[in-house]
Amino acid sequence: MDYYDNLGYLINKAARMTKWDLNNALTDVGITSAQWGLIRDIFLTESICNNEAERLCKLTPAAIAERMHADRPTISCMVEKLVKQDFAYRVSNPNDRRSQIILLTDKAKVLIPKLMQLAEDTLEKATTGFSEEDTKQLKEYLSKVIENLM
Amino acid sequence: MDYYDNLGYLINKAARMTKWDLNNALTDVGITSAQWGLIRDIFLTESICNNEAERLCKLTPAAIAERMHADRPTISCMVEKLVKQDFAYRVSNPNDRRSQIILLTDKAKVLIPKLMQLAEDTLEKATTGFSEEDTKQLKEYLSKVIENLM
DNA sequence: TCCGTATAGTTAGTATACTAACTATACGGA
DNA sequence: TCCGTATAGTTAGTATACTAACTATACGGA
């Protein structure tokens, strides 16, 4: 019984290992790899928003969940944790009283370069010995697996 | 910002999708994909145990955790759930009063062929359009990622 | 203008995955 | 024989990921 011939096991294990490695790297900062992914999404989305209207529709929990292919309770709870840790804050949406805009605090923004680097380090470690073509091919394979299951 | 160019996201998403797809397929049986993985491990290990001594050392929660590269609290809790659902039962280890042997009930064993097929179906769906060489290559890439992070 | 349907976000619950710490037991060396 | 160290399994807590259901709000068509 060779676990390393079972694709389901391999995908799951690779996911756990990359999360585990990044969690370790992020311990000092006090966030998890999943939280980093959320911070990263909000940061990059803020960067490309050119005006208030874009921010109002692209930085709601629903929009973030959609972009990250995650479900809204998960994003809602994770945002709550970031707010509690003063990494993010909520602003009411003037156009929709149900909705709110999620923005990053300065405390989070100053950490972005370091967090980007830590995440990059984990992925570089994960792909040690891979050529650029290997990494590209792996991404294509995983994209196709995801597409097949959507 | 293209999520599909981020390897960490792709690995995580592929893992979630395969789990999600198999969870859906297993809903009627009343177990989760993670529980299936545990049942599968116990079943295959029982199959290759030739005598009582092998069973005594290969079917403890600690041995299962090691083989599945999981941690013992996780296995302990999942075994508890399988026991509660009458899919598994515990037998005391006569050689070590701390230890116990985990075995599958008949209720679980009769489901094995169907569960094997459902798991196989998910992986076949995940790799639709892949040649045998593609699947082999993907497994090699993932094995290397895991090895790099261990 | 009203109301049925849809949506945003949350709450509650469940299932894993993990860390830390605990109790009970085993073991090997002095 | 004793005891310090190690191990097996569990408990407690935290973090995600998910489903189901809820409240509040929005919207579009009659």
Side-chain angles (χ1 to χ4, degrees):
Chain A
M1 169 181 57
D2 183 10
Y3 273 110
Y4 283 77
D5 194 45
N6 184 300
L7 183 58
Y9 170 85
L10 289 171
I11 293 178
N12 187 52
K13 183 69 177 173
R16 284 162 57 207
M17 299 295 292
T18 53
K19 253 187 283 185
W20 186 83
D21 191 272
L22 186 52
N23 280 343
N24 284 349
L26 293 170
T27 296
D28 291 340
V29 182
I31 66 171
T32 65
S33 60
Q35 288 167 347
W36 157 240
L38 178 50
I39 290 175
R40 178 181 185 275
D41 176 86
I42 297 170
F43 173 73
L44 293 177
T45 304
E46 282 200 70
S47 303
I48 64 172
C49 285
N50 292 323
N51 54 50
E52 188 66 7
E54 281 191 16
R55 282 154 47 111
L56 287 180
C57 69
K58 287 183 175 176
L59 284 168
T60 67
I64 295 167
E66 186 176 348
R67 203 160 45 238
M68 293 182 69
H69 301 101
D71 49 77
R72 289 181 290 114
T74 300
I75 296 299
S76 176
C77 289
M78 287 177 63
V79 164
E80 178 61 27
K81 287 182 172 55
L82 292 185
V83 167
K84 275 179 168 163
Q85 289 172 277
D86 194 32
F87 285 124
Y89 62 101
R90 294 186 180 90
V91 175
S92 294
N93 186 336
N95 296 344
D96 186 339
R97 296 215 310 277
R98 298 171 298 177
S99 180
Q100 56 200 213
I101 309 307
I102 312 300
L103 300 171
L104 294 182
T105 61
D106 287 338
K107 178 184 174 186
K109 286 177 180 172
V110 302
L111 291 171
I112 296 291
K114 173 179 175 177
L115 302 182
M116 287 289 194
Q117 189 57 58
L118 292 176
E120 188 64 26
D121 290 346
T122 284
L123 292 184
E124 281 190 22
K125 187 193 292 182
T127 52
T128 300
F130 280 55
S131 68
E132 275 194 40
E133 183 57 29
D134 287 332
T135 302
K136 183 169 177 290
Q137 183 65 70
L138 175 53
K139 286 174 180 174
E140 283 183 24
Y141 283 149
L142 291 171
S143 297
K144 193 154 184 58
V145 165
I146 292 164
E147 182 187 321
N148 283 337
L149 295 176
M150 258 173 168
Chain B
M1 170 180 59
D2 183 10
Y3 272 110
Y4 283 77
D5 195 46
N6 184 301
L7 183 57
Y9 170 83
L10 289 171
I11 294 178
N12 187 53
K13 182 69 177 174
R16 284 161 58 203
M17 299 295 293
T18 54
K19 254 187 280 185
W20 187 83
D21 192 272
L22 185 52
N23 279 342
N24 283 349
L26 293 170
T27 296
D28 290 341
V29 182
I31 67 172
T32 65
S33 58
Q35 287 167 347
W36 158 240
L38 177 51
I39 290 175
R40 178 182 185 275
D41 176 85
I42 298 170
F43 173 73
L44 293 177
T45 304
E46 282 200 71
S47 302
I48 64 172
C49 285
N50 291 325
N51 54 49
E52 188 66 7
E54 281 192 13
R55 280 153 49 110
L56 287 181
C57 69
K58 287 183 174 176
L59 285 167
T60 67
I64 294 166
E66 186 176 347
R67 203 161 46 238
M68 294 182 70
H69 301 101
D71 48 76
R72 289 181 291 113
T74 300
I75 296 299
S76 175
C77 289
M78 286 177 62
V79 164
E80 178 63 25
K81 288 182 170 59
L82 291 185
V83 167
K84 274 178 170 162
Q85 289 171 275
D86 194 32
F87 286 124
Y89 62 101
R90 293 186 180 91
V91 175
S92 293
N93 186 336
N95 295 346
D96 185 339
R97 297 217 308 280
R98 297 171 300 178
S99 179
Q100 57 200 214
I101 310 306
I102 311 302
L103 300 170
L104 293 182
T105 61
D106 286 337
K107 178 185 173 184
K109 286 176 178 172
V110 301
L111 292 170
I112 296 292
K114 174 179 176 176
L115 302 182
M116 285 289 194
Q117 189 57 58
L118 291 176
E120 188 64 28
D121 290 346
T122 284
L123 291 184
E124 280 189 23
K125 186 193 292 183
T127 53
T128 301
F130 281 54
S131 68
E132 277 195 39
E133 183 57 30
D134 287 331
T135 302
K136 184 171 179 287
Q137 183 64 71
L138 175 53
K139 286 175 181 174
E140 283 184 23
Y141 283 149
L142 291 171
S143 296
K144 194 155 183 57
V145 165
I146 291 164
E147 182 187 320
N148 283 338
L149 295 174
M150 257 172 168

